[in-house]
Amino acid sequence: MRLSQFHLHTTKETPSDAELTSHRLMLRAGMIRKLASGLYIWSPLGLRVLRKVERIVREEMENAGAVELQIPTIQPRELWEATGRWEKFGPQLLKIKDRKEQEFCYSPTAEEALTDFARQELSSYKQLPVNFFQIQTKFRDEIRPRFGVMRAREFLMKDAYSFHLHDEDLVREYENMKAAYSRIFTRLGLDFRMVQADSGAIGGDASQEFHVIADSGEDALVFSTGSDYAANMEAAVAAEPPARAAAGEAMRKLETPTQKTCEEVAALLGLALQRTVKSVALMAGETFVLALVRGDHEVNEIKLAKVPGLSDHRFATEAEISEYLGCVPGFLGPVGPAKAIRVVADPEVAALADFVVGANEAGFHLAGVNWGRDLPEPEIADIRNVQAGDRARDGGELKIARGIEVGHVFQLGRQYAKALNATVLDENGKAAVLSMGCYGIGISRIVAAAIEQNHDEVGIVWPEAMAPWQAVVCVINPKGDAAVSAAAAELLESLRAGGLDAALDDRGLRPGAMFADMELIGIPHRVVVSERGLAAGTFEYRSRSASEAESLDRDSLMRKLLG
Amino acid sequence: MRLSQFHLHTTKETPSDAELTSHRLMLRAGMIRKLASGLYIWSPLGLRVLRKVERIVREEMENAGAVELQIPTIQPRELWEATGRWEKFGPQLLKIKDRKEQEFCYSPTAEEALTDFARQELSSYKQLPVNFFQIQTKFRDEIRPRFGVMRAREFLMKDAYSFHLHDEDLVREYENMKAAYSRIFTRLGLDFRMVQADSGAIGGDASQEFHVIADSGEDALVFSTGSDYAANMEAAVAAEPPARAAAGEAMRKLETPTQKTCEEVAALLGLALQRTVKSVALMAGETFVLALVRGDHEVNEIKLAKVPGLSDHRFATEAEISEYLGCVPGFLGPVGPAKAIRVVADPEVAALADFVVGANEAGFHLAGVNWGRDLPEPEIADIRNVQAGDRARDGGELKIARGIEVGHVFQLGRQYAKALNATVLDENGKAAVLSMGCYGIGISRIVAAAIEQNHDEVGIVWPEAMAPWQAVVCVINPKGDAAVSAAAAELLESLRAGGLDAALDDRGLRPGAMFADMELIGIPHRVVVSERGLAAGTFEYRSRSASEAESLDRDSLMRKLLG
């Protein structure tokens, strides 16, 4: 590849709407161009990277025994109705009417379509297990598309769906896929972690996420120092708190005229924040619920929604709070409500003695409160975010890192196959509902995530497997001495013959501009061919991650690049 | 590849809605499965073929200097409004509203998006010429999707867009693309023809189509025996007719009480059909138009629409016919209309003397009619389909064959760049509107077209380049003698090492069922490994196109397959 024949178009300006490093660098490198909100054109340079990721994903999926197919992006409403996801998926599902007013959606994932395919194709247990995958454009109508291709509306995804007769077959394939995913992210050269996850809108029994570690990551990942325990914030659990101490104080009402937050109340009373309790007022259907976490803790919405009866909760209005607690926000608590309410306490709250809550009276809090004595024992559920420093269940300490989700594996079980009546005949000739796993990788998101993890102040620092080219041979003054161009072309051919994906920069830019481009677009190996170097029998070599260039003769250069 | 690890699923039944051979065979072979009307899942087998076509198209586009990128499938209304195509494209354009009620379409082609990219990326003539291509899913909301992937709504297309400063650069790239297309279809192993075409809804100055020749083809292609002239029916022209003879008869009114068609009138009068004239009544805006073709000719709608003023014509209603001609259909003609009308005559009609037309009086025709004497000289325009046997302009004879359109190249000129204001600075530093070419190939349609051209009564007969595998090694009783399986596996490896895309059929089917599958899915080379053959030191070989199998020793077999 000669760059004079390629369309490389870098820019110096940083667009103002690009908040994230990877978004800025992809735009500056000319890898992507915006077509509309959340819709990006992949330029020739960007597409080279995208295709490298795609190829590694495809190879490892095939090595793991999965078989590729292709599902239409446009899928009929009826299938999505049958599983209940036409409504349940929410407004991220892009709904479409065709010229005959029939309804379709742009596939954000393809469980329904694959289950439909499976029920047409699979009739006997002898055809199992089977794992179908596709690498296909997906669409999710994000309410606020941003961060470039990190959270684009149209994106490229690898999605795989396995079908099984027995649950243990599903578990085996699930483990097989986890191993394949680890090979994929290892080959891509990324620092990644697998964490336990909540299975969210896809549903199912077990699920794990793969994250690229990066300080800018949207997700908090929780690790234990005591084992290889790792989970995302929605799934992470801490150790059970120690048993509750005996009550030591009498309950008393204290004036807290302007103190509405736990921090303010703790400061006023000279108490540890850990002794205070935050009361979050919710409505779940017709029921008023107070969710309680310690003053130093935060409620986790996903955990809260998993509490029986709370899947569709919302915050209570001031009118509802007044009706049930007879009070204004800022002074709420579970003691002596005006009407019957449901109280859900985090285990850390349930373990407290002599704690502080709002008095349900403006300007007052209660201290010395104790369960069983001053109010009934609460319903207990883990509803909080764990925090760095929490004790882990394995006895270690929990640490928190930031990650970008790039893969997700699920044991779906039989819910989709049941809804769509996908069965096969089992060993005894009886119809059995298929068990199913699904396995996704965000191909286009990996590109952005890799940049978040691998960049410096002048540009991208690609892992070798993802770089648009592993090496670029830069020609100084290509229209000058013909021997220089000839030597560069010969070097290019030797590198390519040695298996390196290499290109020739024969655009004729000044050296400074050419080198800046190569640094910006993140080329791992840069070789400069110049008249002066040629006279000395040397090439200037610089690794993207090294601070200095070095002068190498041809043999040393070839050894360095081809090993 | 071992077929026991692959998902191969052939069926015997022919679905009743599959009218076309390729549709039936693709379903029977299990290459595709229907998800909804005009939407097909490509199974693992089908996808292998699709990817082979895709790879050849990509390689030849790259060899021709084009650079790949990727455009979103979902594109904003504003871009399509700017070129007028939001309305002009018609109901085939799938229009979509997102959650914010903003309008988009699913790209059926990407001139607008590419021109938008070009105006962001290209600023100087020094960046030209450049040709961007993508291989991407497209959508056209066909009113009656049918014929499987031949006319699916969602399909895979390669579309390329070149940008130029000068028209001669466009012409040069257009020729370059034509040559690349010829290499592509040659490599695919297809019998194809390039024909002159009308540029249709895409617009522009010059265009040619590439057709796969097949008796079942939807399009009539016109060839001349006198040169390499070839055109589709919309673009095909015949030689000018000989000069008009002098009038020889007086005009007379004849009773034709029930004779309404030219055939019936000619039979009644004992005249050649070529002496009669068909009058087609149209409205073009406020103007009533009679379009005249010879009784033995057919009007071509596309040619008619290209006559100035007729781009938006429709058939006249009976009320309009009565108003302008004072007559009912069946007896219409250009002589003595009730009100002023426009008459457009095909050259063959304009060249007639002593001809027959309707008398504008129910039950009567006029014979011996002559231009200039009985009615004014007409406006002349080529508005008919040519016919097999017509004289060609090169002096040869026109022949007609059937074809399936699989590629189309256009010289678009500056219309899109003008509408979207895509300019670059020219050699003199002045802003110049870009000139543009576009070049499409229907990747998924090629698969169906190849089958229409290459099949027999038992299945598909793939050209080698498109076959899912070039060769399959069939193992008889793979669970029997281990030496047979070992020999088959060794043979497979040797074939693959020799560069052949080969698979092993180790599914353990009975020989008859296994061979029927291989014939149905069109494998070019079948090799059978059996205990008996092994004992005799031979393999049974059969070419898909041969009627008999032959017994070959290993050396002969390898020579035959690897050359």
Side-chain angles (χ1 to χ4, degrees):
Chain A
M1 173 65 70
R2 287 170 177 264
L3 296 191
S4 63
Q5 309 296 311
F6 187 79
H7 176 77
L8 189 64
H9 186 225
T10 61
T11 55
K12 286 222 168 59
E13 308 91 66
T14 306
S16 60
D17 68 331
E19 306 164 38
L20 211 59
T21 303
S22 59
H23 189 190
R24 275 200 305 273
L25 286 175
M26 288 180 80
L27 287 167
R28 282 192 53 209
M31 291 178 63
I32 52 171
R33 293 289 173 230
K34 184 173 170 177
L35 183 68
S37 173
L39 301 174
Y40 289 90
I41 295 172
W42 286 81
S43 79
L45 183 73
L47 189 63
R48 283 189 74 87
V49 177
L50 191 70
R51 290 269 189 257
K52 290 203 172 183
V53 178
E54 187 181 327
R55 193 172 313 131
I56 287 174
V57 171
R58 176 175 289 118
E59 282 175 13
E60 291 299 335
M61 288 301 291
E62 288 178 345
N63 289 345
V67 193
E68 189 172 1
L69 46 57
Q70 185 110 334
I71 305 290
T73 60
I74 301 299
Q75 304 181 349
R77 171 177 178 150
E78 294 72 45
L79 275 181
W80 284 73
E81 283 282 359
T83 61
R85 290 212 301 171
W86 183 260
E87 292 305 327
K88 198 173 160 196
F89 208 93
Q92 277 201 350
L93 189 67
L94 185 69
K95 294 175 178 175
I96 299 169
K97 276 192 187 148
D98 73 1
R99 66 194 290 167
K100 293 173 182 157
E101 295 288 309
Q102 296 200 298
E103 289 192 278
F104 295 83
C105 66
Y106 197 125
S107 169
T109 165
E111 283 77 7
E112 284 81 0
L114 254 295
T115 308
D116 180 57
F117 181 70
R119 71 180 169 181
Q120 292 186 59
E121 291 281 307
L122 305 177
S123 52
S124 159
Y125 74 96
K126 292 179 191 164
Q127 294 172 283
L128 306 178
V130 64
N131 188 344
F132 297 115
F133 79 100
Q134 65 167 346
I135 295 177
Q136 171 76 309
T137 305
K138 299 287 187 303
F139 201 97
R140 291 190 190 179
D141 200 0
E142 301 284 350
I143 186 139
R144 200 181 143 212
R146 55 194 164 145
F147 304 148
V149 298
M150 186 75 90
R151 189 171 289 281
R153 296 200 286 178
E154 186 169 324
F155 56 98
L156 190 65
M157 182 171 154
K158 186 283 298 173
D159 44 332
Y161 307 85
S162 68
F163 296 93
H164 311 278
L165 189 58
H166 303 296
D167 290 338
E168 56 266 33
D169 301 327
L170 168 59
V171 172
R172 197 179 307 116
E173 183 61 18
Y174 183 78
E175 295 301 323
N176 179 38
M177 282 292 105
K178 276 163 56 180
Y181 275 37
S182 290
R183 285 193 297 273
I184 286 168
F185 296 113
T186 302
R187 272 187 68 184
L188 288 170
L190 296 173
D191 179 16
F192 71 98
R193 288 296 288 268
M194 182 178 75
V195 302
Q196 289 180 25
D198 177 69
S199 45
I202 306 272
D205 302 326
S207 105
Q208 275 159 306
E209 291 171 354
F210 288 76
H211 284 258
V212 168
I213 301 300
D215 293 340
S216 59
E218 238 182 345
D219 294 322
L221 308 179
V222 180
F223 304 98
S224 169
T225 58
S227 69
D228 59 2
Y229 176 77
N232 69 12
M233 193 49 89
E234 288 75 40
V237 291
E240 290 291 322
R244 186 192 297 164
E249 304 173 7
M251 183 167 80
R252 57 202 185 279
K253 193 156 87 178
L254 301 172
E255 275 194 67
T256 52
T258 59
Q259 286 73 23
K260 295 185 172 184
T261 67
C262 287
E263 286 78 5
E264 288 163 349
V265 171
L268 179 74
L269 304 181
L271 279 176
L273 187 57
Q274 288 85 333
R275 296 278 298 282
T276 65
V277 171
K278 211 179 278 179
S279 298
V280 181
L282 307 169
M283 290 301 295
E286 298 298 301
T287 307
F288 185 94
V289 182
L290 267 194
L292 307 181
V293 293
R294 251 176 32 192
D296 60 326
H297 287 158
E298 294 295 331
V299 169
N300 183 292
E301 276 295 315
I302 305 280
K303 287 183 175 179
L304 196 57
K306 286 205 286 195
V307 175
L310 299 195
S311 59
D312 275 334
H313 70 269
R314 60 170 173 80
F315 287 116
T317 63
E318 295 210 6
E320 287 159 346
I321 290 171
S322 171
E323 177 187 351
Y324 283 90
L325 300 181
C327 182
V328 294
F331 307 95
L332 308 183
V335 181
K339 289 174 72 173
I341 66 170
R342 179 176 172 192
V343 175
V344 177
D346 185 73
E348 294 283 350
V349 171
L352 288 179
D354 302 329
F355 56 93
V356 176
V357 296
N360 289 332
E361 186 181 341
F364 292 93
H365 276 75
L366 298 173
V369 179
N370 282 277
W371 296 110
R373 186 191 73 183
D374 306 321
L375 74 174
E377 288 290 342
E379 181 184 341
I380 302 175
D382 176 10
I383 55 172
R384 73 167 177 110
N385 285 338
V386 301
Q387 292 182 334
D390 281 352
R391 190 61 43 210
R393 294 206 169 167
D394 57 27
E397 188 187 322
L398 293 182
K399 303 267 185 193
I400 292 183
R402 308 298 300 180
I404 300 164
E405 187 192 339
V406 288
H408 205 159
V409 294
F410 298 89
Q411 292 179 28
L412 292 175
R414 296 187 166 78
Q415 51 174 329
Y416 289 92
K418 238 179 232 159
L420 292 167
N421 195 28
T423 64
V424 295
L425 296 182
D426 67 11
E427 298 91 334
N428 306 314
K430 273 186 58 184
V433 174
L434 287 164
S435 181
M436 192 172 168
C438 88
Y439 319 94
I441 287 185
I443 308 260
S444 42
R445 176 176 261 213
I446 284 174
V447 176
I451 296 174
E452 289 298 327
Q453 188 180 78
N454 303 280
H455 65 267
D456 60 18
E457 64 287 349
V458 295
I460 302 163
V461 185
W462 288 117
E464 201 149 322
M466 293 180 65
W469 297 279
Q470 292 170 286
V472 170
V473 178
C474 296
V475 193
I476 305 292
N477 190 14
K479 291 192 175 153
D481 189 347
V484 175
S485 285
E490 187 278 330
L491 181 64
L492 178 75
E493 281 322 303
S494 304
L495 294 176
R496 292 171 58 88
L500 211 68
D501 183 17
L504 187 72
D505 191 347
D506 60 342
R507 295 176 298 159
L509 298 191
R510 286 172 299 100
M514 178 160 55
F515 298 165
D517 272 358
M518 293 306 113
E519 284 165 3
L520 174 59
I521 72 173
I523 302 302
H525 306 288
R526 186 187 81 198
V527 182
V528 181
V529 185
S530 65
E531 218 176 310
R532 199 174 50 182
L534 218 56
T538 60
F539 299 92
E540 186 194 293
Y541 167 77
R542 182 165 165 193
S543 157
R544 179 65 180 82
S545 51
S547 55
E548 295 288 329
E550 45 190 322
S551 205
L552 296 175
D553 63 27
R554 196 175 189 289
D555 282 355
S556 313
L557 179 69
M558 296 304 274
R559 263 199 310 278
K560 180 160 291 245
L561 288 177
L562 301 179
Chain B
M1 174 65 70
R2 287 170 177 265
L3 295 191
S4 63
Q5 307 297 312
F6 188 79
H7 177 76
L8 189 63
H9 186 225
T10 61
T11 56
K12 286 223 167 60
E13 308 91 65
T14 306
S16 61
D17 68 330
E19 306 163 39
L20 210 59
T21 303
S22 60
H23 189 189
R24 275 199 306 274
L25 287 175
M26 288 181 79
L27 287 168
R28 282 193 52 209
M31 291 177 64
I32 53 171
R33 293 290 172 229
K34 185 173 169 176
L35 183 69
S37 173
L39 301 174
Y40 289 90
I41 295 172
W42 286 81
S43 80
L45 183 72
L47 190 62
R48 282 189 74 87
V49 177
L50 192 69
R51 291 269 189 257
K52 290 204 171 182
V53 178
E54 188 181 326
R55 193 172 313 131
I56 287 174
V57 171
R58 176 174 288 118
E59 282 177 14
E60 291 299 335
M61 288 301 292
E62 288 178 345
N63 288 344
V67 193
E68 190 172 0
L69 46 57
Q70 185 110 335
I71 305 290
T73 61
I74 301 298
Q75 304 181 350
R77 171 177 178 151
E78 294 71 45
L79 274 180
W80 284 73
E81 283 282 359
T83 62
R85 291 212 302 172
W86 183 259
E87 292 305 328
K88 197 172 160 196
F89 208 93
Q92 278 201 349
L93 189 68
L94 185 69
K95 294 173 178 175
I96 299 169
K97 276 190 187 151
D98 73 1
R99 67 194 290 168
K100 293 173 182 158
E101 295 288 309
Q102 296 199 297
E103 290 192 278
F104 295 84
C105 66
Y106 198 125
S107 169
T109 166
E111 283 77 8
E112 284 81 1
L114 254 295
T115 308
D116 180 57
F117 181 70
R119 70 181 170 180
Q120 292 186 60
E121 289 282 308
L122 305 176
S123 52
S124 158
Y125 74 97
K126 291 180 191 164
Q127 294 172 283
L128 306 179
V130 65
N131 188 345
F132 297 115
F133 78 100
Q134 65 167 345
I135 295 178
Q136 170 77 308
T137 305
K138 300 285 187 303
F139 201 97
R140 291 190 190 180
D141 200 0
E142 300 284 349
I143 185 139
R144 199 182 144 211
R146 56 195 162 143
F147 304 148
V149 299
M150 187 75 88
R151 190 171 286 282
R153 295 200 285 177
E154 186 169 324
F155 57 98
L156 189 65
M157 183 171 153
K158 186 283 297 173
D159 45 331
Y161 307 86
S162 68
F163 295 93
H164 310 278
L165 189 59
H166 303 296
D167 289 338
E168 57 266 34
D169 301 327
L170 168 59
V171 171
R172 196 179 308 116
E173 183 61 17
Y174 183 78
E175 295 301 323
N176 178 38
M177 281 293 106
K178 276 162 57 180
Y181 275 36
S182 290
R183 285 194 296 273
I184 287 167
F185 296 113
T186 301
R187 272 186 69 183
L188 288 170
L190 297 173
D191 179 16
F192 72 97
R193 288 296 288 268
M194 182 179 74
V195 303
Q196 289 180 24
D198 177 68
S199 46
I202 306 271
D205 302 326
S207 107
Q208 275 160 305
E209 291 172 354
F210 287 77
H211 284 260
V212 168
I213 301 300
D215 293 340
S216 59
E218 237 182 345
D219 294 322
L221 308 179
V222 181
F223 304 98
S224 170
T225 59
S227 70
D228 59 1
Y229 176 78
N232 70 11
M233 193 48 91
E234 288 75 40
V237 292
E240 291 290 324
R244 187 193 297 164
E249 304 173 8
M251 182 167 80
R252 58 204 184 277
K253 191 156 85 178
L254 299 173
E255 274 192 67
T256 52
T258 60
Q259 286 72 25
K260 295 184 173 186
T261 68
C262 288
E263 285 78 5
E264 289 163 348
V265 171
L268 179 74
L269 303 183
L271 279 176
L273 189 57
Q274 288 85 334
R275 296 278 297 282
T276 64
V277 171
K278 211 179 279 179
S279 298
V280 182
L282 308 169
M283 290 301 296
E286 299 298 301
T287 307
F288 184 94
V289 182
L290 267 194
L292 307 181
V293 294
R294 248 172 38 187
D296 60 325
H297 287 158
E298 294 296 330
V299 169
N300 183 293
E301 276 296 314
I302 306 280
K303 287 183 175 180
L304 197 57
K306 285 206 287 196
V307 175
L310 299 195
S311 59
D312 276 333
H313 70 269
R314 60 170 173 81
F315 288 116
T317 64
E318 294 210 7
E320 287 160 345
I321 290 171
S322 172
E323 177 188 349
Y324 283 90
L325 299 182
C327 182
V328 294
F331 306 95
L332 309 183
V335 181
K339 288 174 72 174
I341 65 170
R342 179 175 172 192
V343 175
V344 177
D346 185 73
E348 294 283 351
V349 171
L352 289 178
D354 303 329
F355 56 92
V356 175
V357 296
N360 289 332
E361 186 179 342
F364 291 92
H365 277 75
L366 297 174
V369 179
N370 282 278
W371 297 110
R373 185 190 74 184
D374 306 321
L375 75 173
E377 288 289 342
E379 180 183 342
I380 303 174
D382 176 11
I383 56 173
R384 72 168 179 109
N385 284 339
V386 301
Q387 292 181 336
D390 280 352
R391 190 61 43 208
R393 295 207 169 166
D394 57 27
E397 188 186 323
L398 293 182
K399 302 268 185 192
I400 293 183
R402 308 298 300 179
I404 300 164
E405 187 191 338
V406 289
H408 206 158
V409 293
F410 298 88
Q411 291 179 27
L412 293 175
R414 296 187 166 78
Q415 51 174 329
Y416 288 92
K418 238 179 232 159
L420 292 167
N421 195 27
T423 63
V424 295
L425 296 182
D426 68 11
E427 298 91 335
N428 307 314
K430 273 186 59 181
V433 174
L434 286 164
S435 180
M436 191 173 169
C438 88
Y439 319 94
I441 287 185
I443 307 259
S444 43
R445 177 177 260 212
I446 284 174
V447 177
I451 296 175
E452 289 299 328
Q453 187 180 79
N454 302 281
H455 66 268
D456 60 18
E457 63 288 350
V458 295
I460 302 164
V461 185
W462 288 117
E464 202 149 323
M466 294 180 66
W469 298 279
Q470 292 170 287
V472 170
V473 177
C474 296
V475 192
I476 306 292
N477 190 15
K479 291 192 175 153
D481 188 348
V484 175
S485 285
E490 188 278 329
L491 181 64
L492 178 74
E493 282 321 304
S494 304
L495 293 176
R496 292 171 58 89
L500 211 67
D501 183 18
L504 187 72
D505 191 348
D506 60 343
R507 293 176 299 159
L509 297 191
R510 287 173 299 102
M514 178 161 53
F515 299 166
D517 271 0
M518 293 306 113
E519 283 165 4
L520 175 58
I521 72 172
I523 302 302
H525 306 288
R526 186 188 81 199
V527 182
V528 181
V529 184
S530 65
E531 219 175 310
R532 200 174 49 182
L534 219 55
T538 59
F539 300 91
E540 186 195 293
Y541 167 77
R542 183 165 164 193
S543 158
R544 179 64 181 84
S545 51
S547 55
E548 295 289 330
E550 45 190 323
S551 205
L552 297 175
D553 63 27
R554 196 176 188 289
D555 283 356
S556 313
L557 179 68
M558 296 304 275
R559 264 200 308 278
K560 182 160 289 247
L561 289 177
L562 302 179

